[in-house]
Amino acid sequence: MKLQDLNTQQLKAVQTVNKPVLVFAGAGSGKTRVLTYKVWHLIKENFFKPNEILALTFTNKAAAEMKVRIQESISCDGVNVGTFHSIGARMLRMHIASLNDNYNSSFTIYDTVDQKSVIKEVIENLNLSEFKELNIGFLKMQIDKFKNANLSIKDIESKAQTFEDEKIAEVYKAYCDTLKSNNALDFNDLLLLPIRLLKENKKILDYYQNSWKYVLVDEFQDTNSPQFEIVSLLAGKHQNITVVGDDDQSIYGWRGANIDNILTNFQDVFAKNIEIKLEKNYRSTQRILDGAWSVVSNNKNRAEKKLVATKGKGEKISFISTGSDEEESNAICDSIKSEIKLNKNTFKDFAVLYRTNAQSRSIEQAMVKEGLPYNIVGGTKFYDRKEIKDVLAYLKLVANTSDDIALKRIINFPVRGIGEKSIKMFIELAAKNKSSLFDSLEKCREIKLRGKQQDSIENFHASITKFSNLLETLDPKELLRTLLEEFNIENYYKNNPAEQDRYNNIQELKASVDKFSDQTGGNLKDFLQEISLFTDIDDWDDKENSITLMTVHAAKGLEFSTVFVAGLEQGLFPLVRIDDGPDQMEEERRLFYVAVTRAMNQVYLLNAKYRRRFGAMNTTSFVQSDFLDEIDKNVIKVKAYKSVYTRRVVGTGSKKKIQISRTVTEFDDFKIGDQVQHNLFGVGTILVLSGTGENQKVGVEFDGGLRKKLIVKYARLKKID
């Protein structure tokens, strides 16, 4: 590494050590480089030892990349790099018992599926299932909201004004109590409980303040209130802190992110800070940056800055308006094939971004039809698949026998003849004896099960106990394989021809455990913790030669040569409702800014006049996105996309529907000598043109000398500018 490789502002951010540093790092301005160089500088100049530095990120992928860069630059492994949640979990493994909440270091981390299972159980136990408005998804959202705001049960109870509020407070309390009794934490607890550790125990606070003497934070604009409090506590003593972020990329307000943390709160807490702006962009062309800025600059709540491209002016942003979501998808596919032909791109150079996951359906369909390889981010994650969740439940129970959610999932898998009635009796027995559900299994003779059931439960309890006792002595690889054999799980799938995919996934899980064990030397608890913090983007392979499909939220931090932004219609992107305030619209603008600035060379913006929703084509045409009105018209070029289909609304009232008919449509005003693109034959030149309307025909010579006579209405020719 050489400091002379940095620009003036980057260098200033790296070399400023004696005061808190706030870096506003615009998209593509080299924030990861600044963070890596800063760690290198702190160690090289002997300001701090590697193990005295803590670097916090938001994704496992970002943490892994930073570790690699640091190791390559200074050849040391001592720097503490991790996500807020992984560092929180690490602190809790060491100190959670000091909270006196009946937690111990074997705690389980519940994912979204587990959370919903707990909420479902709570609703049933409280006899609240009749209240339809208290659905599980809504309650999970409310609980996450409470915890993101660091609100206690007493806070929620005191604020309750309606009968529904009181019920939600009751569910919240029961949910928290259930997690405690299961020795389980949700993701929010991995932030909230470390705060309690640091605030309630001065020895622990002193320990971490003196252990981690320099703190760095990536993507600071995405921090919520608990994360900001953790940072403030850890860095409060020494004031040695550098945070890097971009307020224009703050897009997680819906999950508690507070943009004020970067705009005002940091300055208030770390009063002697220095503020640095990185405005030199190394990713995108100037037209891309100007287009993105012309939209986001309409926000009132932002720090003033404007990026300057090092790559030059570049191509104008393309805008394509289509008749339907199917045509939008076809236009994307046609444009990708054209870019590949003309610019020699590969499939991995392209990303298609959308506001909601539901939009991927028509795009996927079009790509399958056209034979284009794609990789979708945000589908069912590997660790969320049923067979994997089942095996993980076994492992979780072995690691933490208090985990009732894991136990209930597998008590009758593979089938042991244990039905809901028997499980209910065990729950009642546990309550009577004030024991865990697992411990109640040992006393199954008290509830007088049938002989086979009794033997089955006793054998199950004995086996889990055996594995639990071997937890510290068995390597995770050996433990998993022995467990799969003992409980006949692998053969359960192997011997069923219809379950081969599930069997193959079990093999993949074994490989995952092997890799973890070989690379880290960690135990089963370490493995379970790592995968519990796994995200969609961590599973994305950026080396695979395929088109990437993802939401804009998932794309943050990534870059592609060419980016398509689909669905630019009011109510979809921006996704703003009538009762939403100006803050929501500002976040949607920032989301658009993120989408556009993922592109290095080319951006396509698309919308559709009609879009299929809930399985049927909507009969009300779209209103064009506000972003298309706000964007600088000097950086936009409109590309015509006309369909061979005509759509019109017929009927009235409830019988209103969209009638689709095939018509003759000229894609462009063709003339002899025009260069055209054909989906099958590639690029060619029009040599002959005859007829009009229904009978219009062209003679085209394609690359390689291939000559074809084509009927325009079927050929789907597109003129190349």
Side-chain angles (χ1 to χ4, degrees):
M1 284 185 169
K2 299 177 183 177
L3 291 178
Q4 53 262 44
D5 293 336
L6 302 174
N7 66 41
T8 304
Q9 293 301 96
Q10 290 174 335
L11 184 63
K12 187 179 180 181
V14 167
Q15 291 186 317
T16 304
V17 178
N18 59 348
K19 59 181 67 177
V21 181
L22 169 60
V23 182
F24 285 99
S29 63
K31 69 176 177 64
T32 306
R33 167 180 277 236
V34 165
L35 286 169
T36 307
Y37 268 72
K38 183 125 196 186
V39 172
W40 170 76
H41 181 69
L42 293 173
I43 297 170
K44 180 176 174 290
E45 299 300 323
N46 296 314
F47 289 108
F48 300 94
K49 297 174 183 175
N51 65 347
E52 293 177 329
I53 298 171
L54 171 67
L56 292 165
T57 68
F58 271 83
T59 66
N60 299 313
K61 189 178 181 69
E65 288 174 356
M66 189 177 290
K67 282 180 184 176
V68 169
R69 293 196 188 190
I70 291 170
Q71 288 168 354
E72 288 175 348
S73 64
I74 52 180
S75 302
C76 77
D77 297 321
V79 179
N80 302 280
V81 183
T83 65
F84 277 93
H85 291 90
S86 68
I87 296 297
R90 176 174 157 185
M91 295 167 69
L92 292 170
R93 291 288 180 205
M94 290 180 64
H95 305 290
I96 197 169
S98 69
L99 292 173
N100 297 318
D101 276 345
N102 296 319
Y103 286 118
N104 62 60
S105 61
S106 297
F107 60 81
T108 300
I109 301 172
Y110 280 174
D111 61 16
T112 297
V113 176
D114 299 325
Q115 278 184 275
K116 288 181 177 179
S117 296
V118 174
I119 294 169
K120 183 181 178 183
E121 184 178 289
V122 164
I123 289 173
E124 290 172 354
N125 292 341
L126 295 175
N127 296 315
L128 296 176
S129 52
E130 62 190 88
F131 299 100
K132 302 296 182 185
E133 66 274 14
L134 300 182
N135 66 73
I136 293 171
F138 169 76
L139 288 168
K140 181 193 172 299
M141 182 180 70
Q142 289 297 109
I143 289 169
D144 288 343
K145 185 178 176 182
F146 297 154
K147 290 195 172 187
N148 276 326
N150 205 357
L151 296 173
S152 68
I153 293 166
K154 287 184 179 178
D155 292 332
I156 303 305
E157 288 174 339
S158 65
K159 291 181 179 181
Q161 295 182 342
T162 65
F163 178 73
E164 184 179 313
D165 290 341
E166 291 173 358
K167 292 303 168 188
I168 292 171
E170 193 176 358
V171 170
Y172 185 38
K173 183 180 185 305
Y175 171 86
C176 293
D177 290 343
T178 302
L179 261 62
K180 284 182 184 179
S181 67
N182 289 0
N183 192 29
L185 311 178
D186 61 23
F187 292 143
N188 303 296
D189 294 326
L190 299 178
L191 303 176
L192 297 179
L193 296 187
I195 291 173
R196 282 186 55 198
L197 282 176
L198 298 173
K199 292 177 76 171
E200 296 174 10
N201 193 312
K202 191 173 183 308
K203 283 186 178 180
I204 293 175
L205 177 62
D206 289 342
Y207 171 78
Y208 283 109
Q209 286 182 337
N210 294 322
S211 296
W212 298 329
K213 293 179 179 177
Y214 203 99
V215 178
L216 301 102
V217 185
D218 192 13
E219 305 285 6
F220 189 68
Q221 76 282 346
D222 291 332
T223 53
N224 59 19
S225 295
Q227 288 163 335
F228 183 79
E229 192 165 4
I230 288 172
V231 170
S232 302
L233 287 164
L234 291 176
K237 180 178 180 179
H238 301 289
Q239 300 279 298
N240 293 323
I241 183 171
T242 294
V243 301
V244 181
D246 182 8
D247 55 299
D248 286 336
Q249 296 186 70
S250 179
I251 58 174
Y252 292 109
W254 52 274
R255 69 180 189 194
N258 184 0
I259 194 173
D260 288 338
N261 288 345
I262 191 170
L263 291 177
T264 57
N265 295 343
F266 182 87
Q267 297 89 323
D268 292 341
V269 173
F270 300 96
K272 295 181 179 179
N273 74 89
I274 181 172
E275 185 179 299
I276 299 167
K277 291 181 180 179
L278 305 183
E279 296 176 292
K280 190 174 285 187
N281 176 283
Y282 297 93
R283 176 190 298 153
S284 308
T285 64
Q286 193 62 52
R287 278 173 164 152
I288 290 173
L289 297 178
D290 288 348
W293 180 85
S294 64
V295 173
V296 82
S297 62
N298 287 282
N299 283 352
K300 291 181 172 61
N301 194 28
R302 66 182 294 270
E304 189 53 47
K305 58 193 157 313
K306 190 173 182 183
L307 298 179
V308 178
T310 59
K311 292 177 62 173
K313 207 170 186 178
E315 294 286 322
K316 285 188 175 184
I317 295 171
S318 297
F319 170 57
I320 304 174
S321 186
T322 65
S324 69
D325 48 351
E326 290 90 351
E327 288 178 8
E328 179 186 62
S329 301
N330 289 335
I332 291 170
C333 292
D334 290 349
S335 299
I336 288 173
K337 289 189 292 186
S338 179
E339 290 280 349
I340 289 173
K341 286 269 187 184
L342 296 173
N343 300 320
K344 310 300 180 188
N345 295 105
T346 59
F347 294 118
K348 67 179 180 182
D349 292 326
F350 301 95
V352 183
L353 309 182
Y354 33 79
R355 183 63 179 82
T356 65
N357 277 306
Q359 291 170 255
S360 71
R361 180 199 57 80
S362 64
I363 301 169
E364 286 187 80
Q365 275 187 342
M367 289 191 174
V368 169
K369 185 180 177 183
E370 297 291 341
L372 298 176
Y374 67 90
N375 177 25
I376 186 163
V377 177
T380 302
K381 291 187 288 188
F382 176 78
Y383 294 108
D384 282 347
R385 294 169 184 170
K386 180 195 176 300
E387 62 279 10
I388 302 302
K389 291 283 288 183
D390 289 340
V391 176
L392 291 178
Y394 271 97
L395 297 176
K396 286 179 178 180
L397 187 61
V398 166
N400 172 23
T401 54
S402 298
D403 190 346
D404 288 359
I405 296 298
L407 174 58
K408 289 172 184 175
R409 184 179 183 98
I410 58 169
I411 193 169
N412 199 41
F413 173 80
V415 177
R416 300 184 179 90
I418 310 300
E420 290 294 325
K421 187 177 177 182
S422 300
I423 294 171
K424 189 176 179 182
M425 287 192 288
F426 280 117
I427 292 171
E428 290 170 353
L429 182 63
K432 176 186 170 185
N433 296 326
K434 296 181 179 179
S435 68
S436 71
L437 183 57
F438 180 76
D439 288 342
S440 74
L441 301 185
E442 191 176 19
K443 300 175 181 177
C444 62
R445 294 178 183 270
E446 290 184 27
I447 61 176
K448 298 178 182 179
L449 294 176
R450 290 177 301 178
K452 285 186 178 180
Q453 283 182 310
Q454 187 170 291
D455 291 344
S456 181
I457 285 294
E458 286 180 339
N459 291 336
F460 173 80
H461 182 273
S463 293
I464 294 293
T465 302
K466 176 182 70 177
F467 282 110
S468 188
N469 292 335
L470 293 170
L471 194 60
E472 302 302 325
T473 57
L474 277 183
D475 173 279
K477 296 187 289 186
E478 185 181 359
L479 191 150
L480 175 60
R481 283 164 169 78
T482 311
L483 185 145
L484 289 170
E485 183 179 349
E486 176 119 354
F487 291 101
N488 202 39
I489 297 170
E490 200 165 13
N491 286 335
Y492 176 84
Y493 292 117
K494 187 178 181 180
N495 298 329
N496 187 343
E499 301 284 7
Q500 286 307 294
D501 283 346
R502 296 188 189 276
Y503 173 77
N504 292 336
N505 286 336
I506 299 290
Q507 307 312 304
E508 187 64 28
L509 177 63
K510 287 159 68 175
S512 176
V513 172
D514 290 355
K515 181 180 177 183
F516 172 84
S517 184
D518 293 340
Q519 289 184 348
T520 69
N523 58 28
L524 176 64
K525 292 176 184 175
D526 296 328
F527 173 74
L528 291 173
Q529 178 172 304
E530 178 168 285
I531 63 170
S532 70
L533 302 176
F534 203 79
T535 64
D536 289 337
I537 200 64
D538 296 324
D539 200 30
W540 174 63
D541 183 5
D542 58 353
K543 294 180 176 60
E544 184 181 330
N545 190 22
S546 59
I547 302 158
T548 298
L549 276 58
M550 60 173 62
T551 64
V552 183
H553 283 99
K556 194 157 80 68
L558 306 178
E559 61 181 29
F560 303 88
S561 178
T562 300
V563 168
F564 294 83
V565 185
L568 284 167
E569 301 132 40
Q570 217 53 17
L572 183 57
F573 199 5
L575 189 57
V576 177
R577 291 166 281 272
I578 296 174
D579 56 345
D580 287 329
D583 288 350
Q584 181 61 33
M585 186 59 185
E586 292 214 348
E587 180 148 319
E588 291 291 312
R589 282 199 189 96
R590 294 193 292 268
L591 194 60
F592 179 81
Y593 175 87
V594 167
V596 172
T597 56
R598 298 312 91 200
M600 293 185 282
N601 300 309
Q602 181 62 282
V603 174
Y604 286 81
L605 307 177
L606 302 100
N607 62 15
K609 191 173 183 179
Y610 297 101
R611 190 171 295 276
R612 192 172 294 277
R613 292 183 180 172
F614 310 112
M617 190 69 73
N618 65 313
T619 56
T620 305
S621 61
F622 76 87
V623 176
Q624 180 172 280
S625 170
D626 283 349
F627 303 149
L628 294 170
D629 298 323
E630 294 176 352
I631 198 166
D632 183 355
K633 301 303 181 291
N634 293 316
V635 302
I636 292 284
K637 63 177 177 183
V638 178
K639 298 190 79 171
Y641 186 87
K642 297 180 181 178
S643 175
V644 296
Y645 296 98
T646 297
R647 290 165 175 81
R648 63 189 184 99
V649 179
V650 297
T652 58
S654 62
K655 295 184 177 180
K656 188 187 290 186
K657 64 178 184 178
I658 302 290
Q659 187 180 74
I660 303 174
S661 57
R662 188 159 190 149
T663 60
V664 178
T665 304
E666 297 177 16
F667 294 112
D668 289 287
D669 185 17
F670 293 124
K671 61 183 183 293
I672 292 173
D674 280 347
Q675 285 241 295
V676 293
Q677 174 81 39
H678 187 275
N679 286 346
L680 182 61
F681 305 124
V683 177
T685 304
I686 294 179
L687 303 179
V688 180
L689 182 66
S690 65
T692 58
E694 192 75 27
N695 300 313
Q696 188 176 38
K697 299 175 183 175
V698 291
V700 185
E701 183 175 349
F702 293 96
D703 291 351
L706 177 67
R707 293 191 174 193
K708 288 285 183 179
K709 292 180 181 178
L710 303 168
I711 301 173
V712 171
K713 78 170 182 178
Y714 299 122
R716 294 185 69 197
L717 290 172
K718 291 180 67 178
K719 187 162 70 173
I720 300 171
D721 297 331

